[in-house]
Amino acid sequence: MGGLTPAPADAVANPTRWERMPVAVRIGILYIVARAVTTTFLLLAAALSSVGSRFGENADIGTLMIGWDAQWYWFAAEHGYPAQLPITDGGDVAENQWAFMPVYAFLAKGLGFLLGSWGVAAVAIALVAGYLACLVLYRIVRMRADDATATWATAFFAAAPLAALFQVGYAESLFLLWLFLALWMLQRRRYVWLYVLIPLMGFTRPGVLAFALLLGLYGIWRWATRRTEPLPVREIVHICALGLLAVVVGFSWQVLAAVVTGDPSAYLATELAWRRNWLGQSEGAFVPFDGFVQGAAFWFGSWGLGEITGYVVLAASVLGIAALLLFEPHVRRMGVEVRLWSAGYLLYLLAVFFPQSSIFRLLVPLSPLWGAVAMPRSALWRVSVLVACLAGQWWWIYNMYALGNTYWQIP
């Protein structure tokens, strides 16, 4: 998949004032402009919120920013995690706090003591983490491309269709910061940092098992290419130990939920409670990859296209994405770490997730691929992508916040 190669040097004889600015300042300016646009969109969404919306008439931007899952993080911070799982009238495990990891919730609670409000602290953490994630994303792309490409990739990320996550009470920004730092450290072979970043990832949002898969694939790749890039014993030990750590962290929340509640299936049953909102029926035990199979049948059946069509589209999508990660030249230039992460994370989603409107949010950890999108140097291409990002951002905010009144309008 390609070894570690230095980024091309920038041949700028007479750099502009913009190019002479420190990277942190340039990214900060882009980030502030992007957040101003998102704030405008959220204000419009609040003004358009009607009686049929989850937020009702006369909604304000503050209500939107701490809506949806932010309420669950707040509830976990205030009330902790239940020792007895709530049960629905039908006898199934109901939605509860065990689906939400503790780092973001309790970090916001701690900062909230200083700022006077959990909600203000939660949004502040998301904003700061989003900016820092932009800086690290720039560094990730910069290792494989020139300054202009890295800057455009960061602009796409800051203004992406799901960029509202940078200023609402969700854990995504913080998780992305840990993830990007982990990928950057892996690119640079700075393995020691991963012993801290992996637990932070694992207790901020689900997904660290995908990083465990990345490390396994990465170890295999390094072993296969050891003649072209030496693989010292020290690195073998680190890769194996970190892979084991990621697996342990990935399953530890399930174990903790089982110990506290006395129910070995507490965490998985909690996650399945959300799936019931779409299928409208009690679920059995969790079965890997069953969610996407059920989802293909559910959605294509609902659209009147037939379940078989859904299965065919699912299979074609899996093959198409695999081909993209293997053969698309711009993606290949992003390097093995980003490509293996993307493949591992998509396989993880395929194994554990039921596809619904939250799929857009759950695809955000693939954001390092913005580097591949930014590589074509055409100004028309780059401006068109940015416009498409902003259009997609308004579409998402309008549907999830201004409307937010049906089962497919849940962020």
Side-chain angles (χ1 to χ4, degrees):
M1 284 195 174
L4 182 64
T5 57
D10 294 325
V12 181
N14 298 300
T16 64
R17 183 178 180 182
W18 170 260
E19 292 165 335
R20 289 196 300 268
M21 288 183 183
V23 170
V25 175
R26 280 191 280 144
I27 299 303
I29 292 172
L30 291 174
Y31 189 71
I32 290 170
V33 172
R35 300 288 60 77
V37 173
T38 301
T39 299
T40 302
F41 287 163
L42 287 170
L43 287 169
L44 286 172
L48 293 171
S49 181
S50 65
V51 67
S53 166
R54 178 185 181 93
F55 300 97
E57 292 182 296
N58 302 315
D60 58 53
I61 189 172
T63 304
L64 269 57
M65 291 164 78
I66 58 170
W68 292 111
D69 283 0
Q71 293 296 300
W72 279 110
Y73 284 111
W74 168 82
F75 198 73
E78 292 298 314
H79 301 283
Y81 294 87
Q84 183 173 354
L85 294 173
I87 303 297
T88 67
D89 293 338
D92 299 303
V93 173
E95 299 169 352
N96 65 83
Q97 304 96 290
W98 283 109
F100 300 89
M101 305 303 184
V103 168
Y104 176 72
F106 286 95
L107 184 60
K109 182 175 182 179
L111 184 60
F113 286 125
L114 298 176
L115 300 181
S117 165
W118 184 92
V120 171
V123 173
I125 291 169
L127 280 167
V128 173
Y131 167 66
L132 295 175
C134 285
L135 284 179
V136 183
L137 179 64
Y138 172 90
R139 297 298 181 187
I140 290 172
V141 180
R142 188 66 185 85
M143 292 191 72
R144 296 291 181 171
D146 60 20
D147 174 75
T149 298
T151 302
W152 274 101
T154 307
F156 296 157
F157 174 62
L162 276 291
L165 292 171
F166 295 136
Q167 51 199 94
V168 297
Y170 274 61
E172 265 72 10
S173 288
L174 194 60
F175 178 81
L176 290 173
L177 174 58
W178 308 141
L179 170 64
F180 291 176
L181 283 169
L183 289 173
W184 189 34
M185 292 299 105
L186 191 62
Q187 283 181 320
R188 300 172 67 197
R189 313 294 192 251
R190 302 289 181 85
Y191 300 107
V192 173
W193 288 98
L194 296 179
Y195 290 98
V196 176
L197 291 167
I198 284 173
L200 286 173
M201 273 194 288
F203 291 103
T204 299
R205 267 199 54 76
V208 76
L209 286 175
F211 202 84
L213 179 56
L214 157 66
L215 289 168
L217 296 172
Y218 177 78
I220 293 171
W221 173 78
R222 289 295 308 278
W223 179 261
T225 60
R226 66 190 184 280
R227 292 184 178 179
T228 56
E229 182 183 359
L231 181 60
V233 173
R234 177 184 62 83
E235 290 197 42
I236 295 175
V237 172
H238 276 308
I239 294 169
C240 293
L242 288 166
L244 178 61
L245 175 64
V247 170
V248 171
V249 171
F251 285 106
S252 62
W253 190 246
Q254 296 182 39
V255 173
L256 183 61
V259 171
V260 172
T261 64
D263 183 348
S265 65
Y267 175 74
L268 293 177
T270 296
E271 290 289 359
L272 289 174
W274 267 267
R275 188 179 301 185
R276 203 175 303 118
N277 293 330
W278 283 268
L279 298 179
Q281 60 187 28
S282 297
E283 294 296 313
F286 169 77
V287 178
F289 302 102
D290 186 50
F292 262 86
V293 174
Q294 286 187 327
F298 172 79
W299 288 109
F300 281 84
S302 300
W303 298 332
L305 300 175
E307 295 182 5
I308 299 299
T309 304
Y311 299 144
V312 171
V313 170
L314 175 61
S317 298
V318 171
L319 292 175
I321 292 171
L324 184 73
L325 293 174
L326 284 170
F327 304 116
E328 205 286 322
H330 300 103
V331 175
R332 288 176 63 86
R333 283 181 58 190
M334 282 303 300
V336 68
E337 296 86 1
V338 168
R339 294 165 68 205
L340 289 179
W341 161 252
S342 301
Y345 184 70
L346 287 170
L347 184 62
Y348 166 79
L349 285 186
L350 193 66
V352 305
F353 188 60
F354 174 83
Q356 32 89 353
S357 57
S358 294
I359 189 68
F360 301 110
R361 176 169 56 85
L362 295 184
L363 290 174
V364 171
L366 297 175
S367 292
L369 291 175
W370 282 120
V373 178
M375 281 183 185
R377 294 175 179 270
S378 165
L380 177 60
W381 166 257
R382 287 170 168 173
V383 171
S384 298
V385 171
L386 184 59
V387 170
C389 284
L390 294 172
Q393 186 180 155
W394 168 244
W395 178 89
W396 190 78
I397 291 173
Y398 176 70
N399 275 279
M400 305 302 169
Y401 288 92
L403 300 181
N405 57 359
T406 187
Y407 67 92
W408 55 270
Q409 291 171 324
I410 299 174

